[in-house]
Amino acid sequence: MAVDRKILIPALHNIATRLRIDSVRSTTRAGSGHPSSCCSAADVVAALFFAQMRFDPKDPRRADNDRFVLSKGHAAPLLYSVWAEAGAFDRAQLLTLREISSDLEGHPTPRLPFVDVATGSLGQGICVAVGLALNARRIGSDYRTYVMIGDGESAEGSVWEAADVASHHGLDNLCGITDVNALGQSQPTQWQHNMDQFARRWEAFGWEPIVVDGHDMAAVLDGFARARQTKGRPAMVLARTIKGKGISFVEGKNGWHGRPLKKGEEEDRAIKELESQFVQLPSPFDAPSLIAKPAGPPPDAKTAQPQIAAPEYKLGDAVATREAYGTALVRLGQADERVLALDGDVGNSTYSEKFGKAFPGRFYETYIAEQAMVGVAMGLASQGAIPFPSTFACFLTRAADFIRMACISDLDVKLCGSHAGISIGEDGPSQMGLEDLAAMRAQPNMTVVYPCDAVSTERLVEAIAYRRGPAYIRTTRPKTPVIYPPGETFEIGGAKVLRQDAHDVVTVVAAGITVYEALKAYGELKGAGIALRVIDAYSVQPIDARTLRDAARATGGRVITVEDHYAGGGLGDAVAGALAEDGYVVRRLAVREIPRSGKPEELLDRYGISARHIVAAVKAMATSGVSVDPQKRY
Amino acid sequence: MAVDRKILIPALHNIATRLRIDSVRSTTRAGSGHPSSCCSAADVVAALFFAQMRFDPKDPRRADNDRFVLSKGHAAPLLYSVWAEAGAFDRAQLLTLREISSDLEGHPTPRLPFVDVATGSLGQGICVAVGLALNARRIGSDYRTYVMIGDGESAEGSVWEAADVASHHGLDNLCGITDVNALGQSQPTQWQHNMDQFARRWEAFGWEPIVVDGHDMAAVLDGFARARQTKGRPAMVLARTIKGKGISFVEGKNGWHGRPLKKGEEEDRAIKELESQFVQLPSPFDAPSLIAKPAGPPPDAKTAQPQIAAPEYKLGDAVATREAYGTALVRLGQADERVLALDGDVGNSTYSEKFGKAFPGRFYETYIAEQAMVGVAMGLASQGAIPFPSTFACFLTRAADFIRMACISDLDVKLCGSHAGISIGEDGPSQMGLEDLAAMRAQPNMTVVYPCDAVSTERLVEAIAYRRGPAYIRTTRPKTPVIYPPGETFEIGGAKVLRQDAHDVVTVVAAGITVYEALKAYGELKGAGIALRVIDAYSVQPIDARTLRDAARATGGRVITVEDHYAGGGLGDAVAGALAEDGYVVRRLAVREIPRSGKPEELLDRYGISARHIVAAVKAMATSGVSVDPQKRY
């Protein structure tokens, strides 16, 4: 930034031209990709990396680097080109774009050290950027966060959730850029080059809107300067650009989205045109030398896992697991300042408000905006925090796409969904999480736990906090008695055999609220002389296949699962899946239709997951006279 | 509306007071619910129903009634009270609120004839209302649509998606109401009573913002009149209200969200206060007599299922199922004008653009706003249309909560997710739908089909169109050869046995792209003298348990599933679930980690679902020497 503008501007122009050339070459070589979306943004990105951001290109994960999030992830070749230009890696690697052996994937993922969070699902990167900007405050750094979105992307509601959260927090360390290239994937965008449509929206949402010509380097620099001077609120640089800029036969033409130039004449012509756009510089320069580096040593990161004392519950205490979650979070937060909580205005229901009261500075309220809540958590997690976003289990589905991307990024986002299942009662189906286990289990790297009492809740909150990667804890609305002593330990991937006997005829696998139904069934059947093995499968993913298999074998290959969840994709599928290669018989009790309002116990019974139904299923199975030979295993 | 304001206003005031009393009484009786959220909105709702809307309270489903959507569904007791007041049912029933035997559930569902779409997940009702307003144009009616949202609800991004779609379509038959009561669930809302924060946002998004005192009946009526006069764009009445209005010890106080008044002294005091607010009227009046009814007979609804000619493909034609979907949609649209398509700016990838070109008036472009796309479809479906919203399978997760509510409402929303699985190749994991089958299967009333070729795609598009309730069709990016003759029929709940022989040793169950891998494996193994049974499980839900069971039994109880989807909740779980009570052995090939970019065939092989892996799995199973006795069934 100390460089004279007369030298800087032509230098940036030449860098931008190189970024265009690299984007064209790499996508043509790959045979797919989005060069036209790279060309529109190249000038702005060149200005950002070489005249605005302060970062160490050789240490992209450095905690006090300025951050850049490419929310319009399909312009990945531009991102890769600019990092190569900055010296992060050898430009020759750009030609491995989209190859199976290359980390330069079709859309950016954190396999690359300079990508904090995967993008490619529009409207997410800006939520992540809000998290990155909040993280600067958390670690006491003055780094700035930049995020580039597309104009078409602005139709995503999550963009406006992020806009509100950012302005609510007065994030003047956050600068957005909208690449207004006026063309979407299939047609012109809704507002095309009507810059006022963008400006008035951002202004209404409390941002400083800054409209610039995105190909006029001086205007772009002025825009960024104005953004930097904006205090008390975030700034949005609205860059009017031309899709395909620099290539005459692509510029501003529909039909070029996601289409590389054909190898041969088409590519050659484009490269030739672009090369002719290099300008003569007064003196030679080295692009990386333009980059401002952070001063001093990088901030320390605290990474040790603290010891936390045992829970303070007594056997028989009646405590809802959702309340135990709040208590657990506070205890964890006392021991580790990386632990954060996020809320979507239901903190008094999920009990995350306990954490908010204990640690107001580490509690992020996004109001009723679940996508932003999870997106902000993704940004924070990417920087070493351990965020716990929580809401009703059913409302986490609002953020399902964010959770998907958090998994692709393998982030330490620790989700809590409360009010699981029909056991919430009278509020009715819209408030019941009945598909959450299916959604979470589908993600291969998601840890899924479902405690039944306060002790297991507290221990599992700790366990997921320190297990690498995304995790989900499911909590229950009604109070349940504590069944585990405070000293009990809970491994991820484990299960607890609660009742067993040499003469058990059936294994009943339950989790959460149904553990109590299974125990009730056990009591009733005991009176009838039928012995049950009862398992608390608190770790739904990974599931304890060995304990299940041992129990199934010991009970004549007969297994019953019972869950407060729909039949598809939940505990039953998890158990049946774990035993699928063993040839055992698994009967699954689950909710099999859209439920309605009613009292919890009425609903458990009506939808077939109460003790009465377990008893009936056990009797039918145990007296059938046909048993599967557990030795006959594949 | 012909009534003199001097009579009308006190009459409306008394009605509003009755609605408050009924809301208090019913929630106290139920022991749960949200009376304070009802009290803030009672005046506006009374004005709407008895001085604005034109509808027949005895025929709430009448196609040309004005519609009212209570997007803030937790104020359900107010909704029920106003319909009782209008004469739709007996007021005495209000006291059954939230009972298991009552359709007056905790949040509104279409079990009630005056509820078009279930609400209770905030930010959805306004998207639905956009669909209802578009429906008026579709059927050529001048009915108006009203939707009430909460102020806290305005933080949901989906609200702003709806705002854009409505202003883009210039929906001046749509009138929103924001009940700005300044208190959220756990705390004051973000903007409290700063009405300008709301007005500037709605204005920026192209709506006419109309700020009124929501307890000043004359101002409310003037506001609605101004909304009615607004042409070319929708109007938003921003009603400044007091939460708990009318009950002195609840009014404007935090801590009263979702909390009924206690039976006894607390309730009695509230009722007494409210009753004292009745005013003397110049003459007695009957509330229902105030309601304006639609003139003339109700519009006809076309309901017959047309005959559609067989597909026009030849065996061996190479056609991507996504392209066949577009073609099928056009053919269906030619035969039935209720068929609609909705797009989120990917119509050239999903091929829904074919429909858009053929029927521009029945093609709804929501731009990149998947929540609005599905929400609008929900509104249209609730009025007898058959809408097909489509986008990439992975981006339907953006609308997961809307899909959940569409299922609770059992609406005829026919979703299409394209670009399923790793077979999309180079674009990478962010663009791959790998959890969609799990998410869709979790919903108990969702039909899920997954065709492998153009003929089955075309037939399954027709089949889901005319099957009651929500449905999902999964399509594939690469071209696949046509394997079915044009005359082939495809029942929902069926499966096709593609290869069979008396000596088959293993059953391989595939769907979509993996059908071709299974057929390749069949060919290879045939050469090695190993016979396979190959099943195309095109109907994933309901799945053809009988065909699967018969095949498993015929092949020594050995089953292999192979799917381009994560292992949790997909085809493998569906098959294992269908066979879980039989004691067969199911080995499941699926994607078990976060994938990366690469060529489709490279990825199929790397992630274990190619012909090579099927061959290996078959050989391991077939030569194991241990077979499960298929007769030993529970």
Side-chain angles (χ1 to χ4, degrees):
Chain A
M1 275 167 280
V3 185
D4 188 299
R5 271 206 175 192
K6 275 187 203 145
I7 297 164
L8 182 63
I9 288 177
L12 293 175
H13 171 81
N14 281 359
I15 290 173
T17 300
R18 263 204 301 274
L19 301 181
R20 289 189 172 99
I21 290 170
D22 284 343
S23 300
V24 166
R25 281 209 170 114
S26 57
T27 50
T28 295
R29 166 99 177 203
S32 62
H34 302 74
S36 64
S37 305
C38 297
C39 288
S40 61
D43 296 308
V44 174
V45 165
L48 199 54
F49 274 68
F50 295 96
Q52 285 298 319
M53 282 168 59
R54 186 192 64 187
F55 67 107
D56 182 351
K58 297 291 187 194
D59 185 8
R61 295 224 190 270
R62 190 181 154 123
D64 59 350
N65 279 348
D66 283 357
R67 322 303 308 180
F68 175 67
V69 181
L70 183 70
S71 195
K72 50 171 276 187
H74 52 283
L78 173 65
L79 182 75
Y80 305 154
S81 299
V82 78
W83 278 96
E85 182 78 18
F89 63 92
D90 184 3
R91 273 182 72 205
Q93 284 187 44
L94 292 173
L95 294 179
T96 67
L97 179 71
R98 291 173 166 246
E99 288 180 5
I100 195 164
S101 56
S102 171
D103 287 341
L104 302 174
E105 298 194 73
H107 292 74
T109 73
R111 294 190 218 268
L112 294 165
F114 52 82
V115 175
D116 291 310
V117 172
T119 56
S121 183
L122 296 175
Q124 296 202 16
I126 188 166
C127 297
V128 167
V130 174
L132 294 174
L134 287 167
N135 184 69
R137 291 193 180 166
R138 182 182 74 90
I139 66 168
S141 169
D142 64 351
Y143 77 73
R144 287 175 64 75
T145 298
Y146 294 90
V147 54
M148 174 174 276
I149 66 172
D151 49 352
E153 183 175 2
S154 309
E156 287 286 12
S158 56
V159 169
W160 303 102
E161 294 186 9
D164 262 343
V165 177
S167 68
H168 181 74
H169 283 90
L171 294 178
D172 51 19
N173 61 351
L174 175 65
C175 176
I177 303 129
T178 308
D179 180 31
V180 186
N181 66 26
L183 291 172
Q185 170 173 326
S186 67
Q187 60 195 319
T189 59
Q190 195 167 358
W191 308 306
Q192 303 181 42
H193 274 136
N194 186 341
M195 303 305 289
D196 177 58
Q197 288 278 4
F198 296 92
R200 72 191 202 196
R201 279 170 174 76
W202 286 102
E203 186 162 31
F205 274 73
W207 290 47
E208 177 78 13
I210 301 170
V211 177
V212 302
D213 176 343
H215 303 307
D216 175 341
M217 203 58 85
V220 170
L221 292 176
D222 289 345
F224 281 128
R226 204 176 124 199
R228 198 180 282 274
Q229 286 152 15
T230 301
K231 295 297 164 206
R233 56 184 186 149
M236 177 54 75
V237 174
L238 297 160
R240 187 188 194 285
T241 63
I242 309 291
K243 199 155 172 173
K245 175 72 180 178
I247 309 167
S248 62
F249 54 99
V250 176
E251 276 190 3
K253 291 209 169 56
N254 210 356
W256 276 98
H257 182 93
R259 180 175 151 195
L261 287 111
K262 284 197 200 85
K263 196 162 177 62
E265 204 182 332
E266 200 171 81
E267 182 194 15
D268 295 345
R269 193 178 147 204
I271 299 291
K272 202 174 156 193
E273 281 193 16
L274 287 166
E275 284 178 340
S276 74
Q277 292 161 30
F278 282 121
V279 294
Q280 198 70 32
L281 293 180
S283 60
F285 79 100
D286 171 50
S289 71
L290 294 174
I291 298 169
K293 310 255 177 348
D300 272 349
K302 194 177 150 194
T303 53
Q305 173 171 351
Q307 278 295 323
I308 299 165
E312 294 176 347
Y313 299 104
K314 290 192 301 291
L315 287 173
D317 281 356
V319 185
T321 56
R322 60 181 170 129
E323 185 164 2
Y325 165 77
T327 304
L329 216 51
V330 172
R331 290 171 63 101
L332 193 61
Q334 281 159 346
D336 191 336
E337 63 185 18
R338 292 172 299 171
V339 172
L340 316 174
L342 295 98
D343 173 42
D345 190 27
V346 288
N348 55 346
S349 289
T350 62
Y351 282 97
S352 69
E353 71 171 14
K354 289 192 178 196
F355 186 93
K357 283 174 184 158
F359 310 104
R362 282 147 59 193
F363 183 73
Y364 300 88
E365 178 61 69
T366 62
Y367 295 95
I368 309 173
E370 295 80 7
Q371 297 183 90
M373 178 178 74
V374 176
V376 168
M378 289 161 70
L380 288 161
S382 75
Q383 304 305 306
I386 307 174
F388 281 79
S390 44
T391 182
F392 285 32
C394 62
F395 301 135
L396 277 178
T397 61
R398 202 56 157 270
D401 194 28
F402 284 71
I403 295 169
R404 181 177 75 87
M405 293 296 285
C407 290
I408 289 175
S409 296
D410 201 27
L411 293 168
D412 283 339
V413 172
K414 313 298 178 180
L415 301 150
C416 173
S418 69
H419 293 69
I422 55 178
S423 63
I424 69 157
E426 293 85 349
D427 271 343
S430 66
Q431 317 295 300
M432 296 167 174
L434 283 161
E435 53 285 286
D436 53 317
L437 291 178
M440 300 298 177
R441 272 189 68 233
Q443 301 298 335
N445 56 342
M446 177 74 83
T447 301
V448 180
V449 298
Y450 183 16
C452 69
D453 82 341
V455 168
S456 51
T457 302
E458 190 153 322
R459 287 313 201 183
L460 289 168
V461 166
E462 291 161 27
I464 63 171
Y466 297 105
R467 182 178 164 91
R468 270 286 301 126
Y472 175 61
I473 180 164
R474 186 181 210 227
T475 66
T476 302
R477 181 175 174 274
K479 291 183 184 200
T480 49
V482 170
I483 59 168
Y484 292 110
E488 190 84 17
T489 58
F490 293 83
E491 300 286 319
I492 302 290
K496 296 286 175 188
V497 181
L498 295 177
R499 298 287 184 272
Q500 64 178 324
D501 187 273
H503 308 293
D504 293 340
V505 292
V506 180
T507 295
V508 176
V509 185
I513 191 94
T514 60
V515 166
Y516 301 92
E517 299 301 317
L519 292 174
K520 258 186 260 174
Y522 170 90
E524 283 182 38
L525 287 163
K526 201 173 177 187
I530 301 173
L532 279 195
R533 186 153 303 190
V534 178
I535 293 180
D536 172 8
Y538 64 81
S539 179
V540 177
Q541 180 159 294
I543 197 154
D544 188 347
R546 203 170 70 175
T547 295
L548 294 174
R549 202 172 287 129
D550 289 349
R553 192 182 299 127
T555 59
R558 300 181 204 88
V559 177
I560 292 170
T561 63
V562 54
E563 62 191 306
D564 191 358
H565 186 275
Y566 287 138
L571 179 67
D573 270 2
V575 171
L579 300 177
E581 299 199 18
D582 296 280
Y584 298 135
V585 173
V586 182
R587 166 154 294 183
R588 300 177 308 154
L589 306 182
V591 180
R592 292 184 183 271
E593 61 181 294
I594 304 290
R596 57 191 300 146
S597 293
K599 292 192 178 66
E601 56 279 19
E602 289 174 339
L603 296 175
L604 291 175
D605 201 54
R606 181 178 181 128
Y607 295 106
I609 59 171
S610 65
R612 182 172 71 87
H613 291 277
I614 299 170
V615 166
V618 169
K619 284 183 174 169
M621 243 178 162
T623 61
S624 66
V626 180
S627 97
V628 171
D629 180 347
Q631 299 315 312
K632 291 223 172 171
R633 289 182 55 209
Y634 162 67
Chain B
M1 274 163 280
V3 184
D4 187 299
R5 272 207 173 190
K6 276 185 201 144
I7 298 164
L8 181 63
I9 286 176
L12 293 176
H13 171 80
N14 281 357
I15 290 173
T17 300
R18 263 204 302 275
L19 301 182
R20 289 189 172 100
I21 290 170
D22 285 342
S23 300
V24 166
R25 281 208 170 114
S26 57
T27 50
T28 294
R29 166 99 178 204
S32 62
H34 303 73
S36 65
S37 305
C38 297
C39 288
S40 61
D43 296 307
V44 174
V45 165
L48 198 52
F49 274 67
F50 296 95
Q52 284 299 319
M53 282 168 58
R54 186 193 64 186
F55 67 106
D56 182 352
K58 298 288 187 197
D59 185 7
R61 295 224 189 272
R62 192 182 152 122
D64 59 350
N65 279 347
D66 284 356
R67 323 301 309 180
F68 174 68
V69 181
L70 183 69
S71 196
K72 49 172 275 184
H74 52 283
L78 174 66
L79 182 75
Y80 305 154
S81 299
V82 78
W83 278 97
E85 183 78 18
F89 63 92
D90 185 1
R91 272 181 72 203
Q93 283 187 45
L94 291 173
L95 295 178
T96 67
L97 179 71
R98 291 173 164 245
E99 289 179 6
I100 196 164
S101 56
S102 172
D103 286 341
L104 301 174
E105 298 195 71
H107 292 75
T109 73
R111 296 189 216 267
L112 294 164
F114 50 82
V115 174
D116 291 309
V117 172
T119 55
S121 183
L122 297 175
Q124 296 201 16
I126 187 166
C127 297
V128 167
V130 174
L132 295 173
L134 287 166
N135 185 69
R137 291 193 180 166
R138 183 182 74 92
I139 66 168
S141 170
D142 64 352
Y143 77 74
R144 287 175 64 76
T145 298
Y146 294 90
V147 55
M148 173 174 276
I149 66 171
D151 47 354
E153 184 175 2
S154 308
E156 286 285 13
S158 56
V159 169
W160 303 103
E161 294 185 11
D164 262 342
V165 176
S167 69
H168 181 73
H169 284 90
L171 294 178
D172 52 18
N173 60 352
L174 175 65
C175 176
I177 303 130
T178 308
D179 180 30
V180 186
N181 65 26
L183 291 172
Q185 170 173 325
S186 66
Q187 62 195 317
T189 58
Q190 196 167 357
W191 309 305
Q192 304 181 42
H193 275 135
N194 185 340
M195 303 304 289
D196 177 57
Q197 288 278 5
F198 297 93
R200 70 189 201 199
R201 279 171 174 75
W202 286 101
E203 187 163 31
F205 275 72
W207 289 48
E208 177 79 13
I210 301 170
V211 177
V212 303
D213 176 343
H215 303 307
D216 176 341
M217 202 59 85
V220 169
L221 292 176
D222 289 345
F224 281 127
R226 204 177 123 199
R228 198 180 283 274
Q229 286 151 15
T230 301
K231 295 296 166 208
R233 56 184 186 149
M236 177 54 75
V237 174
L238 296 161
R240 187 189 194 285
T241 63
I242 309 290
K243 198 154 173 174
K245 175 74 181 177
I247 308 168
S248 62
F249 54 99
V250 176
E251 276 190 3
K253 292 210 168 56
N254 210 355
W256 277 97
H257 182 93
R259 180 174 152 195
L261 288 112
K262 285 198 200 83
K263 197 163 177 60
E265 204 181 330
E266 199 171 81
E267 181 192 16
D268 295 345
R269 193 178 148 205
I271 298 291
K272 202 173 157 193
E273 280 193 16
L274 287 166
E275 283 178 341
S276 75
Q277 292 160 29
F278 282 121
V279 294
Q280 199 70 33
L281 292 182
S283 59
F285 79 101
D286 172 49
S289 71
L290 295 174
I291 298 169
K293 308 254 177 353
D300 272 350
K302 193 179 150 194
T303 53
Q305 173 172 351
Q307 279 294 322
I308 299 164
E312 293 176 347
Y313 299 104
K314 290 191 301 292
L315 287 174
D317 281 356
V319 186
T321 56
R322 61 182 169 130
E323 184 164 4
Y325 165 77
T327 303
L329 216 52
V330 172
R331 291 170 64 101
L332 193 61
Q334 280 160 348
D336 191 336
E337 63 183 21
R338 292 172 300 169
V339 172
L340 316 174
L342 295 96
D343 173 41
D345 190 27
V346 288
N348 55 345
S349 289
T350 62
Y351 282 97
S352 70
E353 72 171 13
K354 289 192 178 198
F355 186 93
K357 282 174 185 159
F359 310 105
R362 282 148 60 194
F363 183 74
Y364 300 88
E365 179 60 69
T366 62
Y367 296 95
I368 309 173
E370 293 80 7
Q371 296 184 88
M373 178 179 73
V374 175
V376 167
M378 289 161 71
L380 289 160
S382 74
Q383 303 306 305
I386 308 173
F388 281 78
S390 43
T391 182
F392 284 32
C394 62
F395 301 136
L396 277 178
T397 61
R398 201 57 157 266
D401 193 29
F402 284 71
I403 295 169
R404 181 177 76 88
M405 294 296 285
C407 290
I408 288 174
S409 298
D410 202 27
L411 293 169
D412 282 338
V413 171
K414 314 298 178 181
L415 301 150
C416 172
S418 70
H419 294 69
I422 55 177
S423 63
I424 68 158
E426 292 85 350
D427 270 342
S430 65
Q431 317 295 301
M432 295 168 174
L434 283 162
E435 52 285 286
D436 54 317
L437 291 177
M440 301 296 178
R441 273 188 67 233
Q443 300 298 335
N445 57 342
M446 177 73 81
T447 301
V448 180
V449 297
Y450 183 14
C452 69
D453 82 342
V455 168
S456 51
T457 301
E458 189 153 324
R459 286 312 201 183
L460 288 169
V461 166
E462 291 161 26
I464 62 171
Y466 296 105
R467 182 177 164 93
R468 269 287 301 124
Y472 175 61
I473 181 166
R474 185 182 212 227
T475 66
T476 302
R477 181 174 174 272
K479 291 184 184 198
T480 49
V482 170
I483 60 169
Y484 293 110
E488 189 84 17
T489 58
F490 294 83
E491 300 287 320
I492 301 290
K496 296 288 176 187
V497 181
L498 295 177
R499 300 287 184 273
Q500 63 178 325
D501 187 273
H503 309 291
D504 294 340
V505 292
V506 180
T507 296
V508 175
V509 185
I513 192 93
T514 60
V515 166
Y516 300 92
E517 299 301 317
L519 292 174
K520 258 187 259 173
Y522 170 88
E524 285 182 37
L525 287 163
K526 200 175 178 186
I530 302 173
L532 279 194
R533 186 153 302 191
V534 178
I535 293 180
D536 172 9
Y538 64 82
S539 178
V540 177
Q541 180 159 291
I543 198 153
D544 188 346
R546 202 171 70 176
T547 295
L548 293 174
R549 203 172 286 130
D550 290 348
R553 193 181 299 127
T555 58
R558 299 181 205 90
V559 178
I560 292 170
T561 63
V562 54
E563 63 190 306
D564 192 359
H565 185 275
Y566 287 139
L571 179 67
D573 270 3
V575 171
L579 300 176
E581 300 199 17
D582 296 279
Y584 298 136
V585 173
V586 183
R587 167 154 292 185
R588 300 177 308 154
L589 305 182
V591 180
R592 292 184 183 270
E593 61 181 296
I594 305 291
R596 57 192 301 148
S597 293
K599 292 193 178 66
E601 57 279 19
E602 288 173 339
L603 296 175
L604 292 174
D605 201 53
R606 182 178 180 128
Y607 296 107
I609 59 171
S610 64
R612 183 172 71 88
H613 291 277
I614 300 171
V615 166
V618 169
K619 283 184 175 169
M621 241 176 165
T623 61
S624 66
V626 181
S627 97
V628 171
D629 180 349
Q631 298 315 312
K632 289 221 170 172
R633 289 184 53 208
Y634 162 69

